[in-house]
Amino acid sequence: MKALSVASLLAIATAVAVPASARPLTIDDVTMLSRVSSPTVSANGKWLVWSQRETDLAANKGRFDLWKLDLTKRGAQPEKLVADPAVNESNPQIVGDTVYFSSDRGGDDAIWAVPVTGGTPRRITDFKGGFGGFKVAPTGDRVVVWADRRPGAPSLEPAREKKDPNAGEARTYDQLFVRHWDTWADGTRSQLFVLPLSSAGAPGNGKAIVGALVGDTPSKPSGGGEELSWSPDGRTIYLAMREAGRIEPLSTNLDIFAVPADGSGAPVNLTVANKATDNQPVVSPDGRRLAWFAMRRPGYEADRQVLTIRDLASGKTVSLTERWDRSVGSIAWAPDSKSLYVTAEDTQENPLWRVDAQNGQLTRLTQEGNVSSVSVTPGGVIVTMNSLTAPDDFYRITGTGAPERLTSVNAAKLAGVDMPEVTRFSFKGANNDTVWGYAVKPVGITGKAPIAYMVHGGPQGSSNNSWSYRWNPAVFAGAGYGLVAVDFHGSTGYGQAFTDAIRSNWGGWPLEDLKKGLAAATDKFPWMDANNACALGASYGGYMMNWIEGQWPDRFKCIVQHDGVFDARAMAYETEELWFDEWEHGGKAYYEDPAAFEKWNPVNYVDRWKTPMLVITGEKDFRIPYTQGLAAFTALQRRDIPSRLIVNPNENHWVLKPRNSRQWYREVLGWMGKWTGNGAR
């Protein structure tokens, strides 16, 4: 139960002194922050290159440049590598002395190259039709590209389809998926194509290598380069794919395949025996072993992810972290192939761990903060870390020593901003289990602060020590609210049994935890105004807002409900990834066991609703379709409960565009201020 001091390693105050005229953080600050991503390191450990997003507020989007840092010079400052303000440069990869990257220079997406020391970029591909991403072979003689093309397409060349000028506009389907995340199915799949690479570039349309497999690799909606890996000799590609069956939305069975990079043979399924998820294949530097994570239970997307190793010569497979009750996130091999670096959540932190490749022995390498990327060099591990009070920066970890800070990307933009104080607390929740939460105290508070009680989504997620651009606790504290968040039953980072406890229990133990957690917080922190609180949440958190309306109707001055389930019956038939909804309610379809869905269905308790609610939804949200939000708003209006509806026509399950994000915060803080009497500072 110690405070997460803003003077700690991850606090921005270590990079720049806070002037006497310090002020709280606002959403205007957050939307203009630089965001680092896609770090890549040279094999000799000299260069770190990354993509950096800057906000173009006028265009309502982000723009990307490439930056580099000389890791051999202590105190070196970041330098721009490629930064054309008119185009985007992203997804860098260093092979040898060359940085390969994606760019829309010239109006269409292509792969470009530039010396890591700087120079004039040159375009190396000329295929048409767009692509999702790429990976250059370690040998530098091939590049694999993933792109949406028709199943069975022999190359990247776009299909030539004759269109009937008299045809109608309707889409037609014979099986699911009809739509996924925020996109209607159009008959294409993300597939892999290999192009030869030489000093002249990588011209042509390449060759398909997935053979007769039908599925998306990387997986959709959020898979990327972490789902495929080159062998060190550049001869083999290891990939993860869920083969599309008649009802693809019922399957979580991603498998690991090995395929010759020259397309000379069909893909071979290495994990055919496991009917649950296998993902993130990574080949050891010596080429002898393949690592990935494996789940055990089919149909469950939040099962424990066990680090698994396969000897590529013998085929022998070992579950290296089988006895460790944590879920492996990312995976990277050490240069000597004797250990691996993984991330895994643990009690509101997401640290870096080293795992011995022979016996699975674990060493924790970071303490506080969220490790969001890992790049291994001969001289140490380069990680991206953030916290509740600091956005991402780069750090170097050598041995078991404390992380060495390498960058302060947003020091100038956050100069003069005073971050709030974050304090953890624990209490006895449902089933008499220990439950953890945190409180965020507004800077310079006098008297008592109204409470923002934030409920995370997932539901298998965590209100952990990490930075957020969508639901940022420091912004709520900056507006004068004491923010409280609780990791209720179902949260991650406490062992798989705690995570599993929410299944068939959506409105049970989690609500009990939330009730006890708020009471514990208001008892512990005298600066909180226990009688002046609003509750807010998105996704599962939005569901909980609808559930609270009917089950805890007298506790809050107001509620903010974003993309939450309102009617479990409609949700069961309207959502796209059916495995999630069916698993969460016992494993059967609604028509097979309607009682399991109705037990925790908010629509059944609308007669009890009374708390003023703000409802937010996105028209491109196909996970929890916007009709759920419309229905909740209709219920509120029909019962004459003060309510407001916000519909984002161009957002999905998240709010991503900068101006839309600012509007979201203005609306949310305005709604809360109206009912708590708190004027944003």
Side-chain angles (χ1 to χ4, degrees), residues 237-289:
I237 294 174
Y238 298 89
L239 62 100
M241 178 188 284
R242 178 179 59 240
E243 293 186 78
R246 190 187 71 80
I247 304 183
E248 187 179 4
L250 287 174
S251 172
T252 60
N253 187 22
L254 276 79
D255 281 310
I256 307 297
F257 295 84
V259 59
D262 61 4
S264 60
V268 176
N269 191 339
L270 303 181
T271 59
V272 66
N274 184 24
K275 303 305 180 183
T277 295
D278 299 281
N279 206 345
Q280 292 192 26
V282 189
V283 188
S284 60
D286 62 12
R288 296 173 56 191
R289 287 174 290 184

Side-chain angles (χ1 to χ4, degrees), residues 429-454:
N431 199 38
N432 205 36
D433 292 332
T434 298
V435 177
W436 284 89
Y438 62 71
V440 185
K441 183 179 180 180
V443 174
I445 184 175
T446 58
K448 290 184 177 289
I451 298 170
Y453 198 29
M454 190 169 72

Side-chain angles (χ1 to χ4, degrees), residues 324 330 332 340-344 350-354 363-367 369-371 373-376 381-383 385 397 399:
W324 187 34
S330 63
L340 302 99
Y341 296 96
V342 304
T343 56
N350 189 36
L352 179 71
W353 311 75
R354 185 172 59 238
T363 304
R364 183 168 176 165
L365 300 177
T366 64
Q367 301 305 317
N370 172 57
V371 175
S373 75
V374 180
S375 302
V376 183
V381 184
I382 308 300
V383 299
M385 284 202 297
I397 299 171

Side-chain angles (χ1 to χ4, degrees), residues 328-396:
V328 168
S330 63
I331 305 169
W333 282 94
D336 62 5
S337 300
K338 294 181 179 179
S339 60
L340 302 99
Y341 296 96
V342 304
T343 56
E345 287 183 298
D346 184 63
T347 315
Q348 294 186 309
E349 307 291 355
N350 189 36
L352 179 71
W353 311 75
R354 185 172 59 238
V355 185
D356 187 289
Q358 293 299 321
N359 57 29
Q361 181 178 343
L362 290 148
T363 304
R364 183 168 176 165
L365 300 177
T366 64
Q367 301 305 317
E368 295 180 359
N370 172 57
V371 175
S372 55
S373 75
V374 180
S375 302
V376 183
T377 78
V381 184
I382 308 300
V383 299
T384 316
M385 284 202 297
N386 60 67
S387 73
L388 279 162
T389 55
D392 272 321
D393 266 302
F394 294 109
Y395 297 79
R396 175 164 38 209

Side-chain angles (χ1 to χ4, degrees), residues 314-336:
S314 67
K316 181 181 178 181
T317 300
V318 176
S319 299
L320 199 60
T321 59
E322 187 66 51
R323 291 175 293 178
W324 187 34
D325 196 10
R326 290 296 182 267
S327 195
V328 168
S330 63
I331 305 169
W333 282 94
D336 62 5

Side-chain angles (χ1 to χ4, degrees), residues 70-114:
D70 187 340
L71 295 172
T72 64
K73 295 181 179 179
R74 185 167 297 276
Q77 295 301 305
E79 305 173 62
K80 288 184 178 180
L81 177 62
V82 185
D84 185 333
V87 300
N88 291 296
E89 301 97 4
S90 59
N91 303 313
Q93 296 165 42
I94 306 176
V95 178
D97 296 323
T98 302
V99 178
Y100 298 91
F101 62 96
S102 302
S103 177
D104 57 2
R105 182 191 299 257
D108 59 344
D109 294 328
I111 302 174
W112 290 66
V114 67

Side-chain angles (χ1 to χ4, degrees), residues 36-206:
V36 300
S37 63
S38 305
T40 178
V41 294
S42 57
N44 61 9
K46 178 176 175 60
W47 294 105
L48 169 68
V49 174
W50 66 91
S51 176
Q52 188 161 307
R53 178 191 185 274
E54 308 294 347
T55 298
D56 184 341
L57 197 61
N60 201 25
K61 64 180 182 180
R63 185 184 59 76
F64 298 85
D65 299 319
L66 299 188
W67 289 70
K68 67 177 181 177
L69 182 70
D70 187 340
L71 295 172
T72 64
K73 295 181 179 179
R74 185 167 297 276
Q77 295 301 305
E79 305 173 62
K80 288 184 178 180
L81 177 62
V82 185
D84 185 333
V87 300
N88 291 296
E89 301 97 4
S90 59
N91 303 313
Q93 296 165 42
I94 306 176
V95 178
D97 296 323
T98 302
V99 178
Y100 298 91
F101 62 96
S102 302
S103 177
D104 57 2
R105 182 191 299 257
D108 59 344
D109 294 328
I111 302 174
W112 290 66
V114 67
V116 70
T117 52
T120 302
R122 61 187 179 92
R123 180 171 175 161
I124 68 167
T125 59
D126 57 12
F127 61 83
K128 305 298 181 183
F131 67 105
F134 71 95
K135 268 192 174 182
V136 177
T139 49
D141 58 350
R142 291 187 175 107
V143 57
V144 60
V145 173
W146 53 95
D148 287 352
R149 297 293 188 269
R150 296 283 179 182
S155 73
L156 283 159
E157 183 176 7
R160 293 186 175 90
E161 299 179 3
K162 293 183 178 180
K163 293 186 178 180
D164 181 353
N166 298 313
E169 297 177 340
R171 294 183 288 259
T172 58
Y173 300 95
D174 296 304
Q175 67 179 53
L176 300 172
F177 286 116
V178 168
R179 56 186 188 175
H180 195 188
W181 188 247
D182 60 5
T183 305
W184 287 91
D186 63 0
T188 64
R189 294 281 182 174
S190 182
Q191 300 171 70
L192 300 183
F193 305 88
V194 173
L195 294 82
L197 177 61
S198 67
S199 59
N205 292 303

